[in-house]
Amino acid sequence: MGKILEVENVHSYYGHIHALKGISLYVEEGEIVSLIGANGAGKSTTLRTISGLLHPRHGTIKLDGKDITHLEPHLVVAAGVGHVPEGRGIFPKLTVRENLEMGAFTIDDPAKNAARMEQVFELFPRLRERIDQYGGTLSGGEQQMLAIGRGLMQHPRILMLDEPSMGLAPVLVELIFDIIQKLNKEGVTILLIEQNAQMALSIAHRGYVLQTGAIVLTDSAEKLKKNEMVKKTYLGIE
């Protein structure tokens, strides 16, 4: 059990806007780590910076001890970072099969990709039923399954999920969280952003609280659930 992801003193900007102000965090192999915070706190920016969509001006990002700070996004993916963005980001005019194939674009091994697709279909039987349907015709829950499945096609060392329950009916939220836990039990390391902090902390091992681009609190998920500031601000408990 070692640290898969290490983010050290990272500062990211959008133009002149200082979005991340010295973020430091880590994720160990086999963990679910949750980032919680209000809208605009810097959660999605953290994931975008890790995945190379935004390059930090200062600080370092390491994957399995190797510096990936300034790699281009496709090289970050190839290194082992899976990113399921907020809003799912599937290809609406490609079929389910084609969307999944796009997830494995850096792996030139048809047999390996076919085996991985089969694993995705075992996890999400509904996707197998809709294998030739266009992504844009799927329900919101099915699109989220497809987005996660596409992220898994790469055999990521760490899978980053940005608001996987957004816009889903409560029954589908439960299903998605059950799947996240199942993935973790099968060995997938997960960094999770989730608007439903109660749900996120119920399945996470540890958590970080972000406010205006800075981490203000970190602890085990159990202790965060009992923290007075977290209860009042993020869990709606007075």
Side-chain angles (χ1 to χ4, degrees):
M1 290 277 288
K3 292 178 182 175
I4 286 185
L5 179 70
E6 297 172 85
V7 176
E8 188 67 37
N9 193 31
V10 161
H11 292 258
S12 292
Y13 290 74
Y14 291 111
H16 296 299
I17 298 170
H18 196 175
L20 297 183
K21 303 165 184 173
I23 293 278
S24 294
L25 60 87
Y26 68 90
V27 183
E28 292 195 343
E29 188 163 8
E31 280 192 311
I32 299 176
V33 172
S34 179
L35 301 182
I36 61 175
N39 287 339
K43 304 185 303 298
S44 294
T45 301
T46 300
L47 299 199
R48 286 172 58 81
T49 302
I50 293 166
S51 62
L53 295 167
L54 185 66
H55 291 309
R57 290 192 194 173
H58 308 287
T60 57
I61 301 165
K62 292 181 180 178
L63 185 73
D64 289 318
K66 296 176 183 174
D67 194 329
I68 62 167
T69 312
H70 298 292
L71 291 184
E72 292 304 310
H74 67 284
L75 296 177
V76 175
V77 171
V81 177
H83 185 181
V84 180
E86 182 182 352
R88 299 160 199 145
I90 63 156
F91 297 102
K93 294 185 179 180
L94 297 183
T95 65
V96 166
R97 183 198 302 274
E98 290 166 340
N99 266 276
L100 293 175
E101 288 171 347
M102 288 295 286
F105 74 98
T106 65
I107 302 175
D108 190 19
D109 184 336
K112 187 176 182 180
N113 291 340
R116 190 60 165 180
M117 192 177 293
E118 184 59 32
Q119 289 175 334
V120 170
F121 287 148
E122 287 174 10
L123 192 64
F124 301 110
R126 212 175 298 183
L127 293 183
R128 190 197 301 274
E129 296 167 12
R130 288 155 174 66
I131 188 168
D132 293 318
Q133 249 181 260
Y134 290 114
T137 68
L138 302 178
S139 71
E142 290 162 352
Q143 288 188 16
Q144 189 63 67
M145 294 174 197
L146 180 55
I148 295 172
R150 187 181 62 193
L152 290 170
M153 287 296 294
Q154 188 63 38
H155 296 261
R157 292 286 290 137
I158 183 168
L159 184 64
M160 304 192 303
L161 302 172
D162 193 346
E163 303 284 14
S165 79
M166 183 178 281
L168 299 184
V171 64
L172 287 174
V173 173
E174 294 277 355
L175 175 62
I176 291 296
F177 272 82
D178 286 346
I179 287 164
I180 292 170
Q181 286 184 286
K182 184 177 179 183
L183 284 172
N184 183 246
K185 285 173 183 169
E186 291 176 359
V188 179
T189 301
I190 292 167
L191 180 58
L192 171 68
I193 291 177
E194 175 52 52
Q195 60 183 345
N196 187 332
Q198 185 78 50
M199 288 284 282
L201 292 175
S202 73
I203 67 167
H205 299 97
R206 292 187 301 110
Y208 292 88
V209 179
L210 275 76
Q211 287 181 359
T212 58
I215 290 170
V216 296
L217 186 62
T218 178
D219 213 327
S220 70
E222 280 303 312
K223 287 183 178 176
L224 286 176
K225 281 193 288 186
K226 296 172 184 173
N227 180 279
E228 288 303 320
M229 183 271 280
V230 172
K231 284 165 65 174
K232 185 174 181 180
T233 309
Y234 303 109
L235 305 182
I237 301 170
E238 293 295 337

